[in-house]
Amino acid sequence: TMNDKAIVDEEGKRMRDAMNDSVTLERAGRIGLIRIDHPPVNALAGPVRTGLRTAVDRLAAEAVPGGTAAGGLAAVVVYAAGRTFVAGGDIAEFDDPDYDITHLLDTLARLEGLALPVVAALHGSVLGGGLEIAMACHYRVAQAGTRLGQPEVRLGLLPGAGGTQRLPRLVGAGRALEMMLDGQPIGTDEALRLGLIDAVTDGDPRTAALAYAENLLAQGAGPRRSAERPVMVTAGAGAGNEAAAAATEVADFFARRRTALAARAAVYPALPRIVDAVEAGCTQGFAAGLAVETQAFQACLRAPQSQAMRALFFAEREAAKLPGLPADVALRPIRRVGVVGAGTMGGGIAMNFANAGIPVVLVDTSAEALARGLDIVRRNYQASAARGKLDVAEVERRMACLHGTLALADLGDCDLVIEAVFENMALKLQVCAQLGEVCRPGAIIATNTSTLDMDALARASGRAGDFVGMHFFSPANVMRLLEVVRGAHTAPEVLATVVRLARTIGKVAVVSGVCYGFIGNRMLESYLRESEFLLLEGASPARIDAAIQSLGLPMGPCRMLDMAGLDVAAKVVIEHLKAGGLPPDPSYRAAVQRMFALGRFGQKTGAGYYRYDGRTPLPDPEVADICRALAAEHGIAQRDDIGDDEIIERCLYPLINEGARILEEGIAYRPGDIDVVWTCGYGFPDHRGGPMHMADRLGAAHIVRRLEHYARQRGNPHGYWDRSALLARLAEHGGRLADFRGA
Ligand code: CAA
């Protein structure tokens, strides 16, 4: 095998020598190359780390500055095979309790310490540990289009292989902090401007780096070590680490950053630690800064926030995998999309495709409605342009993707048509039947319904195999979640095509089976039920919202419904009641129905659970009166001892319990899918990993005990507190929801 055999040329010089399956040493004249090859993204898994170490040590032994005729090496190039340079540490390894970053740190110190110039050849994604390798090299050449960044913060981490020290030395402390605190990668233009890379090539990065190295040798250039540079606190302004006079200025600079992060520091502990590490490196030097970084990295790695965010990283990717689907399923090409209904939802949906350059035919029944819809889309784009997020020319390009029409027949050449008309069964049945007639054979027909019986709509279309649910979340052009609903007869390739398309338009797709509310809204129902009972029992909207927001959700239930519209919410309840889907409990969601009856529709009418001064919610004593009256009508006793813990447990534990039922019933494939629904669609905090992840942290036994407690305390005539069989089983026998697979 390659492992133990060196490839030698006719003069006996070694050309290729595999350190192991992932790292190979090559030679091109007097330049040695380290080649990393660990598909799919060259993550720094164990074999890459050990291979890298062996390679660096081998090179150190053969280094002969300037090279010799006898074959000594004069320069080194580091490059990677496949679609990308190194995309970072192997995130899957971070759960290993023995994971130790110091070995990699030491390898990078040795790489940087080589007495020969070392050039990194970059392409694809140069992220995390990948950028840290690149920065330990002395020079960097990147293919145009390469993305460079330190995204660790999105995993609840900080750079742990020297990034907090080398990046500030290359681009200045200010820009380095921004890059590490928001985790957003940068492109080659900016990287070149900042001095993070030295050259950009349109060609093969390996070839360009070899030429770059030859050029360095021709100029007699030697190593140029990032670690030996001073840190510029502000780019060009010159308050370096040696500038004792500027010490107070430096201290101020970091103090200001810390203050700006203070509010988020408790839930994202990596943030202040990034500032600490950069400051230490700035004021006490590279080695001291590195020590702070290492200690902080190890602490964050074990912190629950990072564990949650890492689990979500993999859950988002796993959600796109459809169990039982043949790997070679042929996807249907989607070149043109139709959207029926130019309202808020339809317009938002259409924007997603226009953003991706896919032409959209937008249909509505009146010219006014169509013009209004297109105008809202245009104003949305213009607002983005005004905020500097979109080119003005791009606004026009996107608008040019949208073609309005009044004729359903114009959908005949679309590959996918999504109906987004009012949430009314008769109307949707009619539209789906019409789509069955006008769409070309093989076109996919999708409904955006959130509550109606999707299989009935599929039947109405006469093409149940081509029919699928695409449940977008409002605002449809912003929220990342797309619930893809698998009907009883949806063809596997239709499901796979839509899941793949979601990725093209920047959404995270989660597949749900058919049930009332699908995954997200079904779980939301129990949460809203309890929040409304709490209102009747005397907890104020502000009290309930504050307790929920203390978990890190952006809005509590009352604020959320005020934004969404209490009329919309109440109509859903009323329809559900008519359809016989609700328990025979007259107090069930009585609060929202009363608000609706009183014309308190929420923010848009200036009053709902709160009254509004513009968009600012203010407590409204009238709401307390309304709730008191409702409580009296329904024989519910009001209490003044409702604490935050009760609010959180009563709203969240039934939601978790419902999630467990959704798993049991096979509505969701995996617990991670449910967590993705909640974090991408409802603002559930990523640092808690989603409701299923949170349940595992709390333990099934604890949740079941509390459900039983509330069943006793509140009574349980309607089964609100019945435990799901899955939770009950885990509570009894141990185990985690995370390990549940397949009903
Ligand atoms: N570790 C382990 N697996 C990884 C990985 C990583 N860093 N990055 C990607 N993968 C896996 C994905 O799970 C996926 O696996 P499956 O095919 O089995 O699902 C596969 O690689 C392809 O990934 P994507 O589907 O995301 O592919 P993409 O082309 O859409 O995106 C990417 C590629 C931009 C590199 C993206 O995967 C990404 O952002 N990765 C994470 C980058 C990151 O956070 N790096 C920092 C890690 S922490 C670190 O670096 C610390 C350290 O060393 C000290």
Side-chain angles (χ1 to χ4, degrees):
T1 68
M2 282 285 293
N3 268 350
D4 33 330
K5 238 198 250 136
I7 297 176
V8 171
D9 73 3
E10 60 276 20
E11 289 163 45
K13 280 189 285 189
R14 215 183 57 245
M15 302 302 290
R16 295 194 92 201
D17 191 355
M19 306 294 100
N20 57 31
D21 285 340
S22 306
V23 178
T24 307
L25 268 185
E26 294 174 3
R27 164 161 207 142
R30 54 182 177 161
I31 299 176
L33 296 101
I34 299 179
R35 175 184 196 263
I36 301 170
D37 183 9
H38 189 75
V41 295
N42 296 315
L44 293 167
V48 181
R49 297 200 306 273
T50 53
L52 211 50
R53 165 63 66 87
T54 318
V56 169
D57 288 350
R58 191 79 72 78
L59 288 171
E62 293 187 26
V64 179
T68 65
L73 292 177
V76 173
V77 165
V78 181
Y79 81 103
R83 68 193 232 207
T84 179
F85 191 73
V86 173
D90 184 345
I91 300 164
E93 275 188 349
F94 293 170
D95 289 332
D96 178 350
D98 296 328
Y99 182 85
D100 178 13
I101 192 76
T102 57
H103 178 269
L104 178 61
L105 263 176
D106 190 40
T107 303
L108 295 190
R110 293 177 194 210
L111 177 67
E112 187 172 48
L114 287 175
L116 311 172
V118 182
V119 182
L122 309 174
H123 73 294
S125 300
V126 181
L127 301 176
L131 182 56
E132 290 170 308
I133 293 178
M135 293 190 297
C137 296
H138 305 148
Y139 304 89
R140 285 155 290 279
V141 176
Q143 193 173 57
T146 303
R147 309 282 298 161
L148 303 99
Q150 301 281 178
E152 290 87 341
V153 73
R154 297 178 176 195
L155 300 168
L157 295 171
L158 61 156
T164 64
Q165 302 308 305
R166 290 193 180 91
L167 190 59
R169 285 173 166 75
L170 288 169
V171 307
R175 188 67 186 105
L177 276 175
E178 280 167 15
M179 285 178 66
M180 292 188 280
L181 293 172
D182 72 14
Q184 185 68 42
I186 61 173
T188 38
D189 288 348
E190 189 184 355
L192 193 62
R193 205 163 52 237
L194 290 172
L196 183 56
I197 55 176
D198 302 292
V200 178
T201 176
D202 286 323
D204 169 45
R206 179 186 186 273
T207 311
L210 282 172
Y212 195 89
E214 284 295 353
N215 198 27
L216 287 172
L217 293 174
Q219 293 171 11
R224 187 193 59 178
R225 301 185 179 96
S226 309
E228 290 169 1
R229 298 192 186 188
V231 187
M232 296 300 160
V233 164
T234 47
N241 58 346
E242 336 92 309
T248 55
E249 200 184 315
V250 172
D252 265 8
F253 170 87
F254 290 104
R256 276 200 308 276
R257 294 301 185 286
R258 266 194 206 88
T259 309
L261 297 171
R264 293 190 297 147
V267 289
Y268 297 110
L271 295 174
R273 288 167 181 273
I274 289 171
V275 181
D276 293 346
V278 174
E279 180 168 28
C282 194
T283 56
Q284 299 163 50
F286 186 84
L290 212 53
V292 172
E293 176 193 279
T294 304
Q295 202 268 331
F297 179 81
Q298 301 287 12
C300 286
L301 202 59
R302 302 286 154 251
Q305 292 90 347
S306 177
Q307 290 178 12
M309 291 161 85
R310 274 140 50 196
L312 269 177
F313 174 85
F314 288 112
E316 281 187 20
R317 280 154 185 81
E318 203 179 0
K321 297 188 176 128
L322 310 180
L325 196 76
D328 59 350
V329 65
L331 302 185
R332 298 190 189 172
I334 305 293
R335 299 185 208 89
R336 197 177 180 80
V337 172
V339 176
V340 185
T344 315
M345 211 21 142
I349 293 172
M351 285 174 79
N352 290 300
F353 296 100
N355 297 351
I358 300 174
V360 182
V361 181
L362 189 58
V363 188
D364 210 310
T365 46
S366 79
E368 299 76 56
L370 199 57
R372 201 177 325 118
L374 285 168
D375 189 53
I376 291 173
V377 171
R378 175 177 287 280
R379 276 189 278 135
N380 249 317
Y381 281 139
Q382 282 167 344
S384 300
R387 285 196 306 272
K389 292 191 169 170
L390 209 62
D391 223 273
V392 179
E394 185 59 24
V395 173
E396 294 312 318
R397 261 195 299 281
R398 293 186 184 184
M399 287 309 295
C401 283
L402 302 170
H403 311 280
T405 174
L406 300 178
L408 272 180
D410 290 345
L411 296 169
D413 57 355
C414 290
D415 305 302
L416 162 71
V417 178
I418 305 167
E419 74 74 16
V421 301
F422 289 118
E423 190 76 354
N424 171 293
M425 192 62 179
L427 178 61
K428 292 222 186 226
L429 281 171
Q430 186 200 337
V431 169
C432 289
Q434 286 171 324
L435 290 179
E437 280 163 26
V438 301
C439 289
R440 63 162 185 74
I444 296 175
I445 305 178
T447 172
N448 178 52
T449 185
S450 51
T451 54
L452 301 173
D453 179 352
M454 201 201 93
D455 283 326
L457 297 174
R459 278 193 301 277
S461 75
R463 306 202 203 170
D466 296 330
F467 202 91
V468 68
M470 290 178 77
H471 183 213
F472 287 85
F473 285 68
S474 188
N477 55 316
V478 177
M479 299 304 283
R480 284 176 70 220
L481 178 66
L482 176 67
E483 274 184 328
V484 175
V485 189
R486 161 175 46 93
H489 302 287
T490 306
E493 81 271 13
V494 167
L495 203 59
T497 300
V498 171
V499 167
R500 173 69 231 190
L501 180 67
R503 204 181 153 120
T504 310
I505 60 172
K507 301 281 179 210
V508 180
V510 173
V511 175
S512 171
V514 175
C515 65
Y516 180 82
F518 312 128
I519 297 172
N521 284 344
R522 172 166 161 187
M523 289 168 73
L524 186 71
E525 185 66 28
S526 50
Y527 168 85
L528 295 177
R529 175 193 81 211
E530 285 309 310
S531 67
E532 290 186 25
F533 282 139
L534 285 161
L535 284 171
L536 266 51
E537 288 162 42
S540 70
R543 190 68 212 273
I544 295 172
D545 286 350
I548 295 299
Q549 284 159 212
S550 75
L551 293 170
L553 278 94
M555 274 182 255
C558 301
R559 202 56 193 96
M560 185 186 81
L561 286 196
D562 269 5
M563 288 260 288
L566 291 174
D567 52 335
V568 178
K571 281 180 197 159
V572 169
V573 177
I574 292 163
E575 285 299 316
H576 201 186
L577 192 64
K578 275 196 220 149
L582 292 180
D585 174 1
S587 65
Y588 187 91
R589 301 205 56 194
V592 73
Q593 297 181 63
R594 177 62 52 90
M595 292 290 160
F596 174 52
L598 292 171
R600 300 182 69 107
F601 296 170
Q603 193 168 305
K604 62 186 167 193
T605 57
Y609 286 133
Y610 296 88
R611 66 188 176 83
Y612 287 84
D613 178 7
R615 288 175 168 205
T616 311
L618 302 167
D620 188 345
E622 263 181 51
V623 173
D625 295 339
I626 295 167
C627 291
R628 198 174 305 112
L630 268 177
E633 278 171 43
H634 294 288
I636 291 173
Q638 290 211 315
R639 304 182 283 137
D640 54 13
D641 62 348
I642 302 174
D644 283 358
D645 286 350
E646 178 175 348
I647 293 169
I648 290 170
E649 291 183 345
R650 281 184 56 190
C651 291
L652 237 52
Y653 291 6
L655 177 155
I656 288 169
N657 195 36
E658 200 60 37
R661 282 201 191 101
I662 280 172
L663 285 173
E664 269 162 23
E665 293 171 18
I667 296 292
Y669 292 133
R670 298 157 286 239
D673 290 11
I674 296 179
D675 286 336
V676 172
V677 164
W678 278 84
T679 49
C680 293
Y682 296 84
F684 201 94
D686 56 356
H687 58 82
R688 291 190 191 273
M692 299 291 99
H693 186 91
M694 192 175 160
D696 278 340
R697 286 206 76 84
L698 293 163
H702 165 77
I703 292 173
V704 164
R705 267 198 311 279
R706 298 310 289 167
L707 291 171
E708 288 166 351
H709 165 81
Y710 290 112
R712 282 192 303 276
Q713 191 194 73
R714 319 275 342 122
N716 193 24
H718 302 291
Y720 298 152
W721 301 100
D722 288 354
R723 307 153 312 164
S724 77
L726 173 58
L727 273 186
R729 193 163 73 240
L730 294 177
E732 195 176 338
H733 302 293
R736 303 180 315 154
L737 285 166
D739 298 322
F740 180 86
R741 285 294 177 282

